[in-house]
Amino acid sequence: MLAHLSVNNFAIVKSLQLELSKGMTTITGETGAGKSIAIDALGLCLGGRAEASMVRQGEEKTEVSAAFSLENNLHATRWLEDNELLDSNDCILRRTITKDGRSRAFINGSPVPLSQLKSLGQLLINIHGQHAHHQLMKSEYQLAMLDQYAGHLNLLKSTRNAYQTWRQADNNLKQLRENSAQNQAQKQLLEYQIKELNELSLGEEEYEELEQEHKRLSNSGELASTCQQAIELIYEGEEVNALGILQSANHSLIQLAELDEKLAELPNMLAEAIIQVEEANSELRNYLDNIDVDPARMSFVEERFSKVMSMSRKHHVLPEELYQHHQDLLAQIEQLDCSDEKLDELAQDVETKYQAFLSSAEKLHKSRCRYAKELNKLITESMHELSMEKAQFSIEVSNQGTHPSPLGLDSVCFVVSTNPGQPMQPIAKVASGGELSRISLAIQVITAQKVDTPSLIFDEVDVGISGPTAAVVGKMLRKLGESTQVLCVTHLPQVAGCGHQQLFVAKQTKAGKTETQMNQLAEEQRVAELARLLGGSQITESTLANARELLIAA
């Protein structure tokens, strides 16, 4: 439940601190005093729209915080645990707005996006506004009220998921069919390109190998000539060669080493060099003997290399990228496979998903029909209590001719007959303003009893109601307050007197600035306020007595 509300520099409120209790709390005050100001401020903490104009004139920012007790509120506790925001058995929502319109939101001291504030707020408190009877004439609002009463959260989630899955599959199929002609033309081009590459049948590393072999064969004459020259210089030169020079030098060093032992390592070093030269000569000789100058092989390599280069130019890729390009084209044509068999397969998949949606929507339809009958009886009885003794109320649920939507296939219409002999018609066509207010109030009170939210706010929902009917409304809300916290902004003394406690809103002007204050009334103060509501500015012993009777009757 809502335990504390703190409002600072909000509109005409400079500072407001409210301690709230269980049961039914009524809020009264003079016209224009700002009875709904606390409700508006609380709306900010629940994720309402923030505007710079909400910041009190001359101040830097507005700050509103609301503290809730989580006792017996398992849904809110689980939500906080899932989002790693649970701190204790209490929860504090806070919202700030700067004078330039920037807004920040906090849950238990942690900054959060506005979407999280809205999501949690729905689990903590439910606000029924004074314009709810206007909303009541809209079919989508009527459907939402029925689903809220029936507790269709899981059924709605299942239906919405089935709908989205079906629509996604159907859109994909339509897209494939629309693009089939274009895909076919693209597929033909790809098939031609792939056929060329298939005929070439280039291996993954073949180009690099071809390039090396082509280079070697093209320069075989130069390779053989240069190898022979190197062999002559290293080993076979008749007049002079590197091996002979090294051997002669090594012989001289051996003689020197016998004269000076400091030179003993030098002969060994030259001996190693001689070994390296001999090995190099052996390698060169072996390479020279195996140089392939086969004209047929040369012709094949040149032709193959030329084909690869030509194909790479044709496909506008580098020759070393030609193999991967071939693989990419194969993958593309696989994605464009729009054969009749595949389209039929996808169409069957769409139908399967559509049937799953219909099944989920049918479950939702049956549940709506069941709870509609339950509500028909309860709301009709409640309307009788609200001085509409002959009225009949009914919720018509139809799934004929309705387009599929994430909410299923149903359309809902609230119909009413306010007088005997009148046919049942949509409430917008039959009910007067006062009747509409009473019907709306009856629906809100009945549906509120099934909502898990531990706090309910009724913001002047009793507009258009007076006399004995007002007393019935007050008793309805008080009874509701026995099981949940109820806050009710009202102008009716019969309703105000039914509250377990009462707050009074007053507007004052100080130093040229207007301020709104809200204070809890003691017993005698309640009597005086109820007398004011009963008799206006003229408070008599009679109105005071009537006021006391209202409190006693509650």
Side-chain angles (χ1 to χ4, degrees):
M1 72 167 203
L2 178 61
H4 181 81
L5 180 66
S6 174
V7 183
N8 292 291
N9 299 322
F10 177 76
I12 57 175
V13 174
K14 182 171 180 60
S15 179
L16 181 64
Q17 305 293 325
L18 286 181
E19 297 292 337
L20 296 157
S21 306
K22 295 180 179 180
M24 177 182 175
T25 300
T26 56
I27 303 173
T28 62
E30 296 180 353
T31 302
K35 292 189 292 296
S36 297
I37 199 82
I39 311 302
D40 295 337
L42 181 60
L44 276 179
C45 275
L46 302 176
R49 182 178 178 181
E51 298 178 0
S53 59
M54 294 176 174
V55 180
R56 180 176 168 84
Q57 187 68 31
E59 302 295 340
E60 292 296 317
K61 72 173 182 177
T62 287
E63 182 169 318
V64 182
S65 65
F68 294 85
S69 169
L70 297 178
E71 183 181 0
N72 299 324
N73 193 338
L74 298 179
H75 295 298
T77 301
R78 188 177 298 115
W79 188 97
L80 288 164
E81 287 176 342
D82 292 343
N83 289 275
E84 299 182 352
L85 292 168
L86 184 64
D87 186 38
S88 64
N89 288 329
D90 297 324
C91 174
I92 299 177
L93 309 186
R94 185 164 64 93
R95 188 89 180 271
T96 62
I97 311 170
T98 60
K99 64 180 181 180
D100 58 2
R102 287 181 296 177
S103 167
R104 297 187 69 192
F106 303 85
I107 297 177
N108 286 335
S110 299
V112 296
L114 198 59
S115 58
Q116 283 197 321
L117 206 61
K118 290 180 179 179
S119 180
L120 176 60
Q122 295 173 358
L123 304 175
L124 294 171
I125 201 161
N126 199 332
I127 299 178
H128 299 263
Q130 55 184 299
H131 302 297
H133 60 284
H134 296 303
Q135 290 281 87
L136 192 61
M137 292 184 282
K138 299 178 181 178
S139 177
E140 60 270 22
Y141 184 75
Q142 295 172 3
L143 181 62
M145 291 200 75
L146 174 59
D147 285 333
Q148 184 183 34
Y149 177 80
H152 280 158
L153 186 62
N154 291 332
L155 271 177
L156 284 170
K157 182 178 180 181
S158 174
T159 302
R160 181 172 60 253
N161 290 341
Y163 172 84
Q164 292 172 344
T165 301
W166 162 60
R167 291 298 299 168
Q168 182 64 49
D170 189 52
N171 289 336
N172 290 341
L173 178 59
K174 288 177 180 178
Q175 189 68 39
L176 283 174
R177 284 173 172 165
E178 289 173 1
N179 294 339
S180 60
Q182 179 181 349
N183 287 350
Q184 192 61 34
Q186 187 177 358
K187 185 178 178 182
Q188 289 176 354
L189 175 61
L190 287 174
E191 285 175 341
Y192 173 74
Q193 293 175 327
I194 289 171
K195 182 182 178 183
E196 289 183 322
L197 290 168
N198 284 343
E199 290 174 352
L200 181 64
S201 189
L202 183 69
E204 185 172 0
E205 298 179 358
E206 184 182 353
Y207 170 73
E208 288 78 4
E209 294 170 356
L210 271 175
E211 186 179 35
Q212 289 297 320
E213 187 175 5
H214 182 268
K215 185 177 181 181
R216 184 173 65 254
L217 291 174
S218 298
N219 296 279
S220 59
E222 183 178 351
L223 284 169
S225 173
T226 305
C227 277
Q228 185 60 52
Q229 290 178 10
I231 290 171
E232 292 287 334
L233 291 172
I234 292 173
Y235 192 82
E236 295 183 356
E238 293 183 0
E239 295 183 0
V240 63
N241 57 71
L243 181 62
I245 294 172
L246 287 173
Q247 288 174 336
S248 177
N250 189 45
H251 179 73
S252 298
L253 287 174
I254 290 172
Q255 293 178 343
L256 290 175
E258 292 175 353
L259 299 176
D260 189 346
E261 62 180 10
K262 292 181 180 179
L263 301 175
E265 284 300 316
L266 291 178
N268 294 334
M269 294 171 64
L270 278 182
E272 290 178 3
I274 290 169
I275 293 171
Q276 293 292 325
V277 168
E278 289 176 337
E279 289 182 354
N281 178 72
S282 178
E283 289 290 332
L284 278 172
R285 171 56 62 188
N286 184 58
Y287 179 80
L288 181 61
D289 292 341
N290 288 282
I291 288 179
D292 188 2
V293 291
D294 182 4
R297 181 61 185 175
M298 180 66 185
S299 176
F300 170 79
V301 170
E302 283 188 341
E303 182 179 358
R304 182 72 174 161
F305 189 74
S306 177
K307 284 182 179 180
V308 172
M309 297 299 291
S310 176
M311 193 67 72
S312 69
R313 287 192 296 269
K314 188 172 184 179
H315 286 261
H316 305 288
V317 296
L318 295 172
E320 57 266 30
E321 298 172 355
L322 193 59
Y323 173 82
Q324 186 58 49
H325 177 65
H326 186 190
Q327 305 311 305
D328 293 342
L329 293 183
L330 290 171
Q332 287 180 36
I333 201 168
E334 180 68 24
Q335 293 176 357
L336 292 175
D337 183 11
C338 294
S339 63
D340 291 340
E341 292 81 3
K342 184 171 183 178
L343 288 174
D344 290 342
E345 182 182 333
L346 290 174
Q348 183 58 48
D349 181 58
V350 170
E351 180 61 25
T352 300
K353 288 179 169 61
Y354 180 61
Q355 291 302 322
F357 163 71
L358 289 181
S359 176
S360 185
E362 181 62 22
K363 291 179 183 177
L364 188 56
H365 173 72
K366 288 180 179 179
S367 184
R368 282 168 173 162
C369 290
R370 172 195 161 196
Y371 282 101
K373 289 180 181 179
E374 186 177 310
L375 269 176
N376 292 344
K377 182 175 181 295
L378 293 172
I379 293 173
T380 297
E381 292 174 352
S382 185
M383 288 166 61
H384 292 170
E385 293 179 11
L386 294 172
S387 301
M388 299 178 70
E389 293 84 358
K390 304 299 182 181
Q392 293 294 319
F393 177 87
S394 181
I395 300 175
E396 295 181 349
V397 182
S398 173
N399 61 359
Q400 300 299 317
T402 307
H403 295 295
S405 80
L407 299 176
L409 289 166
D410 295 327
S411 63
V412 165
C413 183
F414 287 7
V415 295
V416 66
S417 171
T418 56
N419 296 297
Q422 287 184 338
M424 302 287 280
Q425 295 187 55
I427 57 175
K429 295 183 178 180
V430 178
S432 65
E435 289 172 333
L436 193 59
S437 295
R438 279 179 280 172
I439 295 170
S440 174
L441 182 59
I443 293 172
Q444 290 185 69
V445 171
I446 294 297
T447 55
Q449 295 175 23
K450 288 290 293 288
V451 176
D452 292 334
T453 309
S455 298
L456 301 168
I457 294 179
F458 294 89
D459 186 9
E460 294 195 21
V461 295
D462 50 13
V463 173
I465 298 171
S466 60
T469 306
V472 174
V473 170
K475 291 185 182 300
M476 279 184 174
L477 294 175
R478 184 180 178 92
K479 183 178 180 182
L480 190 59
E482 292 174 0
S483 58
T484 187
Q485 183 187 46
V486 173
L487 278 71
C488 179
V489 178
T490 182
H491 65 286
L492 298 177
Q494 295 91 338
V495 176
C498 287
H500 294 94
Q501 48 270 331
Q502 185 172 344
L503 301 174
F504 178 71
V505 181
K507 185 167 62 175
Q508 298 177 340
T509 301
K510 294 181 180 179
K513 289 188 176 181
T514 302
E515 291 186 16
T516 289
Q517 296 181 339
M518 188 178 295
N519 299 300
Q520 184 164 336
L521 299 179
E523 185 76 12
E524 285 305 312
Q525 291 174 316
R526 287 192 72 181
V527 171
E529 171 59 7
L530 292 177
R532 183 191 68 80
L533 293 172
L534 286 165
S537 58
Q538 298 296 324
I539 299 177
T540 64
E541 286 299 322
S542 176
T543 55
L544 288 171
N546 288 340
R548 292 190 180 93
E549 288 178 1
L550 287 176
L551 288 177
I552 293 171

